[in-house]
Amino acid sequence: MILSSYNRLMHLLAFIICSFLLCAHSDVPRPRGVSLSKASLYSPTKDFTCFDGTVTIPFSYVNDDYCDCFDGSDEPGTSACLNAVFHCTNAGHRPQNIPSSRVNDGVCDCCDGTDEYAGPDACPNTCEELGREARAEALRLAELHKEGSQIRLELIEKGNKRRSEMAEQLAQLDKDKSEAETIKAEKEAIKNELELKENEALKVYREAEEQEKQKKAEEENQQTIKDATEQFNRFDSNQDGQLSVEEIKVVNVFDKNKDGEVDQEEYQHFFGESENVNLKSFISTTWPMLKPLLMMEQGMFKPAEEEHESVRETDADDLSRELENEDLEGAEDENMDDSDLPHEEDDLDLEQDHAKGYDEETQTLVNEATEARRQFTDAERAIREIESSIQNIQQNLEKDYGLQQEFATLDGECFEYEDKEYIYKLCMFQKMTQKSKNGGSEVGLGNWGEWGGEENKKYSVMKYTNGLACWNGPNRITTVNIHCGLETKMLSVTEPFRCEYKVELSTPAACDNNVSQTHTAHDEL
Amino acid sequence: MKTLGALLVFSLAFAGSLAVDRNNFKTCEQSGFCKRLRSLKPEKSQYSLNLDTVIVHGNVLTAEVNTVDTETEKRIILWNYALKLTALVDGTFRVELDEADPLYPRYRTQFSLDGEPKCDSLKLVSSEKGVVTVVNGQGHKVLITAEPFKLEFLDQAGDVAVVVNGNAQLEVEPLKVKEEGGDEDDSSRGENFKSHHDSKPRGNEAVSLDVTFPEADHVYGIPEHTDNFALRTTSGGEPYRLYNLDVFEYELDSRMALYGAIPVMYAHGSKRTTGVFWHNSAETWVDVVNYAEGTVVSSLVNLVTGGQKKQVDARFMSESGIVDMFVMLGNRPKDVFRQYTRLTGVMPLPPKFSIAYHQSRWNYVDENDVRQVDDNFDVHDMPVDAIWLDIEYTDRKMYFTWDAEKFPHPADMVANLTAKGRKLIAIIDPHIKREAGYFLHEDATENGYYVKDKDGKDYEGWCWPGSSSYLDFFDPRVTKYYSERYQFKNFPGTSKDVHIWNDMNEPSVFNGPEITMPKDCRHYKPPQDGHDGLASFWEHRHVHNEYGLGHIRGTHQGMLDRADGKYRPFILTRSAFAGTQRYAAVWTGDNMAEWGFLAVSIPQCLSMSVAGISFCGSDVGGFFKYPEAELMTRWYQAGSLQPFFRAHSHIETKRREPWLYAPATAALIRDALRRRYALIDYWYTLFYEHSVDGLPIMRPMFHDYPEEEETFDIQDQYLLGDEFLVRPVTEPGVTSVKVYLPGKATRTLWYDVDSYHAHAANGYFTQDVNIAKIPLYQRGGSVVPRKERVRRSSALMAADPYTLVVALDANNTAHGSLYIDDGETYEFRNNKYIYAHIDYEPSAITYSFVNSANYPTRSWVERIVIAGIKSPPKTAKLVQADKQLALQMTLHKGNDVLVVRKPAASMAQPWRIVFSY
């Protein structure tokens, strides 16, 4: 079919007439696409001035399918202006404003079909049907909210109860704390007293220990002098009580650099500047340097000398045993269940050693002091535990559980949702996690952050933030959209953006009879 | 779409700066034949023509060519070759050189030519002093010198335009029986690269030819590379490589091979434009020497020849096949571009939606996601014509299936899109998941449809689905079978409004040598040469660069057949070869969200365009990484003025649909989208005209200004048709850009499309820019049709009225054209279309049909904008059929713009508006 230009023009003319005389659905005559509230701005008896005031045109140019106004106000009923808006009344349903680019584009956007008047196919008026559905839906929602609100009231009650319980708990804990502090003070006093006694009793043992130590040192010293003297006498070939250069020269051990002779430098190294060395300075100066060399020397060149040999062997055995022990410990670390038996034995030995050391009276004092210390520590711990409980409750009391505490009972409750690959777990006011069905560890998708709804709807969105970091990306976060429902459960979990999860959650806590009533009223307009 | 990267991504991609791993890809030195041939620089050709054997018959000259041992005086003939010189229509010659009696047939590239080229006449003019002279019907002479063998192609003025084998680099390695034992280092015995061994069953079989372009300033073409549009001298560096490869995180300013390989090269100087098409589908390397470049080589030459020598030499080296070169003698740019498309075909008129805006991402995860994206375009009042689905829609990467969890109702999803005139584009890759029970795998296994390995077993590689095999599109049975997979009943959920994306068709093989198929894999060969041994199959090395072309041929046939040939298919392919344009659009692969990649998209697509692939674009925003607001804005602005306009992104990047940016940025993106849609019929007309004349849609500046030397190496601006000059802003933070306005000699005016301010052409000028500015100029003397009522999709704008923008030239005239049809069917072949001229003269503007075709469009003219009008008319009157109507006009004195108000003339009939003064 080919439209002639004449037909085309007639067609257009028809639109123009139609657009403000015949086609308005309301009683007030107004150009096509104009809402009732703006009808007064279009007066057929006057020239039309664009809303922005820039241009005045004959009224016949209004809705003539040509854009004259920069603000699009002359073409409310056509698609001529890109920035204009088309109003459909949608009698029986909600009215709608659509961009004028949707007028006559072949897609039915308004349920009353008024946006498609030029094309070959008219749009059916579906407003009644849609309105009915919408009203039914609104009714359903209202019912849901109503029913849910009952549960919500219970939740509020529970929440408030829980809150007052917590307040009570807090008061009790405060009391407990001061009691515990009293106990702690008592225990501390006892402990201090007993420790004083214990110290006194142990003093004797400490002194004895000190003496023992000194004795041992003296013995060692004597041994050193004995050994040194022995060697000194060996080197002092002329037995004059002095070691001379000549005497030293024949002793291999002083040949530090192993060049076959003991030169001046080597002599000085061991004996200093003086020509002769007596026993006293030999013991104090030379012997400490000489002893290790001598031992090495003997080890190397006199393997037959049994005493030294056995010492060496023992050392080596100890060393290898230590190494074995280390290996063993390494193995134990990996295999903790195979137990710390050797260590326990060691500890036992140690205590037994001590136990053996004290007389009965002292031992009693030590035991009493130990017990007092333990009781004091327990008292301290008790306070810490109470403080922690207090802090916990205070945190919970500070948590925002909604205007009427309606979310309070949900704190700590966990809900699961499964999709093809994952199991998601949301613990309210705690955290959101994800676990692959194929195994692997749990991935944190966010910890409780804050309420995130827009103003007036603050409690419609929960934000869980700072989950596990995506590699080279941000930390995972979860946004929970909350809807009214008779049961608290996750309806869906998606990842619309990388590492940003979205949960749709239904809960009676979000049901609000008042809100639903106003909604319904608005919808029915 | 994406590369092997996804697998590597966890280990390296985001660890530091992104960059290509060059170790995965061969250098010339690592490619046996390139190393062998490149070092071959004889002083004198070993090849000579046997004058006694010259026969000229019809349009063909045949003769014997021999290689002669020049070491001795005895002139021992080493090998015999058959030369064939064919004269083709439109100033084109074809030079073929094959062995006279090869051991078995050498491969001849199969898919790139658009049928047998049409012939011109060829006459023997003379044969004297060792030179044979022939002439074609257009007066182009060819002088063939017997020894040293060379061919000189003369332009119509009798000057040498192209010389073939002037540098004696002709080489055809004869096929020989493989000897047992022999030299261990002999590359004919096989080659190794990294852990891969190429058995080379046929031994060495490389070919090479050099070509000289006297008086040329530059050579262009041989995409796909990220190097300059005007090619650079390769001496001392790597040659340009042509080998279709999936290069993960490819780099800029590189001659490395990429996804596409189109062996056509053009030479341009102010005197003439010529070109050569190296008809070979094997791995190819191309050396270029431009004597005008300040390199050591050329300065030496200049020293010798005295003065600046204008000449470019090039050399093509391929691993196998025969010498087969088309010489195109131009001699203007538009002639030579047309000549090339006469050989390999034009891009046929695509469905209209495909030149609008495409929204893609790897991946829109499920049906709900698709719906949300679709809805959000409406919520934010942005137009879009197609939503794309990357590989994740499939059931575990088994193509022609759907993930039943995420896409349980594909037909409903498609219907939801088409209700608003939108389309779905789904990906189909050539690798086939080797899984028992997968119908495609079972059919292919049972019927022997897979490419075979060197031992004749089904080749197994690794790709997205894991273990995969690859269909052998060289077997006509496979192509037929594959095309049938696109039947609606075989691909449930699809309809005529589901179009196809063929990716990974280089082919990409994650564990193969250079991320592709081993060269010694076997392809189907028609059994005429026997069923046994080397004569019974082609190796992958012979066909590599046209594998992807075979793939899209199958898809194209399938999409035609599924709707009984009624609807035009749209296909996007990543790999490309000569002839790809007949089936598919091409994009520049997996680029990066960096300014350099935005800038290089222009030379990349200019190179593609002159190589016949006008339907070219880059991933808007960049595939890897995330584009910040400024880059994203500039990319949308640039993309809106490139033929293929699609946003796409990597699965691991942040989501970036336009509305996810701040409102100010989203508004700028909306503006760019609207500009595209307002010009949608202009674009459609360009695509139609391309399908007729083969001229690039995106044109290099020298296309229309071949004598202005300043234009020769411009690659940051281009022409759209001959109406617009585009200089996208591709630099961050700039407040002005330099724009070259050509055509001073012809007093050309360039109108800024935002202000209608006319700039008189005078070379470079400085254009101030802010973030909203897209430097775009309409040439004085042109008429451009616009549709100002931008709707949700281009289909919904079909009946909308036109605004005609008339930009006057210095003589106060302007001309334009307009193509209208139904936008999706082949009914235009039955004359159901309008192709109209719009001519403005001071006395009248006329809308007239070029032929008797017609189409019942409901469109009309709502506005005529006449820019640059110095003395406006007093009255205007529309005359259409027997109706007349006086029209209102408004003059905007500030910028000399006259607006004719609402002629309301139907575009279904011619009309005329008469002006009186």
Side-chain angles (χ1 to χ4, degrees), chain A residues 1 5 8 61 64-66 68 79-80 82 101-103 105 107 109 420 471-472 496-498, chain B residues 10 14 378 403 405 419 652 655 660 789-792 796 856 860 862-863 880 883 888 901-902:
Chain A
M1 182 194 73
S5 61
R8 176 72 221 168
Y61 281 15
D64 72 339
D65 211 12
Y66 184 88
D68 292 286
S79 58
L82 196 56
S101 65
R102 291 175 200 179
V103 174
D105 67 349
V107 180
D109 290 286
K420 200 171 142 196
W471 53 256
N472 200 54
F497 303 112
R498 187 173 165 246
Chain B
F10 292 93
F14 290 86
D378 300 341
D403 183 319
E405 293 273 333
E652 294 295 348
R655 284 286 282 256
L660 296 176
R789 306 179 183 194
V790 175
R791 302 190 188 258
R792 282 168 285 194
L796 301 184
W860 47 286
E862 70 174 331
R863 189 184 292 109
Q880 186 170 37
K883 296 293 156 198
Q888 280 211 329
R901 188 185 191 280
K902 204 182 173 195

Side-chain angles (χ1 to χ4, degrees), chain B residues 525-538:
Chain B
K525 183 182 177 189
Q528 79 265 18
D529 301 317
H531 295 282
D532 303 310
L534 293 174
S536 65
F537 59 86
W538 294 121

Side-chain angles (χ1 to χ4, degrees), chain A residues 354-517:
Chain A
H354 272 286
K356 272 178 205 159
Y358 301 141
D359 61 31
E360 206 170 301
E361 193 183 338
T362 311
Q363 188 62 47
T364 310
L365 283 173
V366 169
N367 289 350
E368 279 171 5
T370 304
E371 175 60 17
R373 275 192 292 271
R374 193 185 60 73
Q375 286 191 14
F376 173 68
T377 313
D378 287 350
E380 274 188 325
R381 190 186 305 127
I383 291 176
R384 276 203 306 277
E385 277 165 9
I386 293 167
E387 278 172 345
S388 155
S389 301
I390 289 173
Q391 208 187 358
N392 238 339
I393 291 175
Q394 274 173 342
Q395 270 176 5
N396 283 347
L397 281 172
E398 279 163 22
K399 263 190 200 167
D400 184 347
Y401 290 123
L403 288 174
Q404 297 170 282
Q405 307 300 315
E406 63 270 27
F407 290 98
T409 56
L410 294 175
D411 191 347
E413 278 205 53
C414 297
F415 304 94
E416 285 197 352
Y417 180 84
E418 275 186 38
D419 68 8
K420 200 171 142 196
E421 290 170 69
Y422 299 103
I423 297 169
Y424 296 90
K425 190 169 169 187
L426 174 65
C427 292
M428 301 289 280
F429 296 98
Q430 314 284 337
K431 63 179 180 175
M432 169 82 174
T433 58
Q434 175 197 54
K435 199 165 157 52
S436 172
K437 286 181 172 173
N438 301 325
S441 57
E442 214 174 53
V443 174
L445 305 185
N447 299 316
W448 166 242
E450 59 184 352
W451 292 101
E454 288 165 19
E455 53 176 337
N456 300 333
K457 289 188 194 163
K458 181 182 173 189
Y459 300 104
S460 63
V461 179
M462 288 178 124
K463 298 260 185 205
Y464 291 79
T465 53
N466 210 20
L468 191 71
C470 283
W471 53 256
N472 200 54
N475 288 36
R476 288 172 172 80
I477 60 168
T478 300
T479 302
V480 181
N481 295 320
I482 300 176
H483 312 276
C484 167
L486 298 183
E487 188 188 340
T488 304
K489 63 179 177 189
M490 284 198 276
L491 304 172
S492 73
V493 181
T494 53
E495 189 187 357
F497 303 112
R498 187 173 165 246
C499 301
E500 294 183 19
Y501 296 81
K502 192 173 82 173
V503 175
E504 301 298 329
L505 179 102
S506 74
T507 176
C511 298
D512 187 340
N513 210 15
N514 300 327
V515 171
S516 70
Q517 275 168 0

